[in-house]
Amino acid sequence: MSMTQTQRLNQVVKTVPAWPIYIVGILPGAWLFYQAVSNNLGADPLKALEHQLGEWALQLLIATLLITPLRDLFKINLIKYRRAIGLLAFFYALGHLLTYLWLDQQWWWAAIWKDITKRPYIIIGMVSFLAMVPLAITSNNRSIRKLGPITWRKLHQLTYIVVPLAALHFVLLKKTWQLEPILYLCVGLLLVGYRFWRKRSV
Amino acid sequence: AKSLDAVKSDYTVDTEITPRDAATTYNNFYEFGTGKGDPLANAHTLTTDPWSVEIGGMVNNAGTYGLDDILKDVTLEERIYRFRCVEAWSMVVPWIGFSLSELLKKADPQSGAKYVAFETLYRPEEMPGQNNSRFPYPYVEGLRLDEAMNPLAMIATGMYGEELPNQNGAPLRLVVPWKYGFKSIKSIVKITLTDEQPPTTWNLIADNEYGFYSNVNPEVDHPRWSQASERPIGGGLFAKRIPTLMFNGYADEVASLYSGMDLRTNF
């Protein structure tokens, strides 16, 4: 992209607020749930819903990690949208977890407890989700002020753990090694690795 | 698909039959892709006519049997079986076919034979998933001979009153209702009687997760999930989980095959 196009894009970003992202972002999830309820997602609507919510959460998480390299390497500044994208990722992860607890395991706590304590891919998924909770809670200006920007930034570096774990959770749930989840893991690791490389080279 | 005449049999279950739409659109047949919808989308390329099955090894009547040749001596019957996938979902399917023992008797196993090995067609130009080198094709499965001779073990050539759709393993497949679904090998081209336990595909891929026997057993979990209950497919988003039954509900017929065996180690 030429410099003028980048500048033009950054100008547009200045005029487009972040709040519509929440509305537009939640629509696919709501639509998918409606489709699942109306039995339009094939023979196994539960798995279709569960997997799609999880995959969207992972894609949104990766999108949050793309903001910084886009700014560094291409001078495209989308930072004002990062909070909305991150919170959407959390909502989709929450939807994914609730689908598992409610529709998949049907609040059958004995089985859920066994899953959470015994099965590596579930444990990894849960850890990834739990690490997102403080990030979601502190994704507001008041928390930045209260924690101070340095502590806040440190806390939000948890994302560097959340994303690879979420991708690993996806890799491990498949019966065989499959390309798609492995690609997510590679992209996630690459984006986290970029942070460390950048820190060292500054 | 072409409709098939079959006599009703006594094999039935008291739960609802899975809608045909679900049973023919939600399949594991990795030869056509790993997604549940891939077999429906891709299996139309499979040529199922002509078809023959090579029966060999420790049998007195070794040979290549054409499909018509196999079917001319048997009476097709409809059997409604529970079908339990190792992934913890289940269906109830009205299969059409005959007991595997009838085919084996035709081949006349020799007295030393102890196992039956099965092999799926290997034809990568028609089965795109077979180009995936991470999977040891052709797909192979096996049973102990006494398991294979149990009247429940059947060769199916149809379901829901019609010939088998390609994605369900046309033109003939195994159905072993007390074992996890992957034992019910599809699109069979080769049957070999041996005195040694034959290799089986999922066991080759992950022997800690999939054993040779793979009997449905609610008490022995898969390392990554519980096998205590199952989700019936075809009942929509809010379908209730149901408890999984020992030997998938066929304990009366098959439990004696495993008397004295530790089913935790022989999983």
Side-chain angles (χ1 to χ4, degrees), chain A residues 33 36-39 42-47 49-50 99 102-106 108 111 114-115 118-122 171-179 182, chain B residues 21-23 25-26 28 30 34 85-87 89 91 134-135 182 202 205 209-210 221-226 228-229 231 233-241:
Chain A
F33 184 72
V37 172
S38 342
N39 217 354
D44 195 358
L46 161 71
K47 283 292 159 187
L49 177 69
E50 193 174 57
T99 305
W102 170 37
L103 297 164
D104 189 339
Q105 296 301 323
Q106 303 174 5
W108 185 29
K114 216 161 150 189
D115 268 0
K118 233 178 95 173
R119 318 209 191 273
Y121 87 93
I122 304 260
V171 170
L172 292 178
L173 75 87
K174 297 280 178 183
K175 268 201 305 198
T176 52
W177 298 109
Q178 289 185 14
L179 188 62
I182 289 173
Chain B
D21 256 6
T25 60
Y26 189 81
N28 277 327
Y30 279 22
T34 54
C85 180
V86 74
E87 296 165 347
W89 52 264
M91 297 186 182
R134 285 168 296 141
F135 216 89
F182 66 85
W202 279 105
I205 293 169
E209 301 196 341
Y210 312 101
D221 284 349
H222 185 281
R224 287 181 289 152
W225 55 82
S226 165
S229 68
R231 293 184 309 107
I233 294 296
L237 184 62
F238 302 103
K240 281 265 166 293
R241 270 185 180 272

Side-chain angles (χ1 to χ4, degrees), chain A residues 159-170:
Chain A
T159 314
Y160 305 157
I161 296 167
V162 169
V163 178
L165 286 183
L168 189 60
H169 164 71
F170 189 17

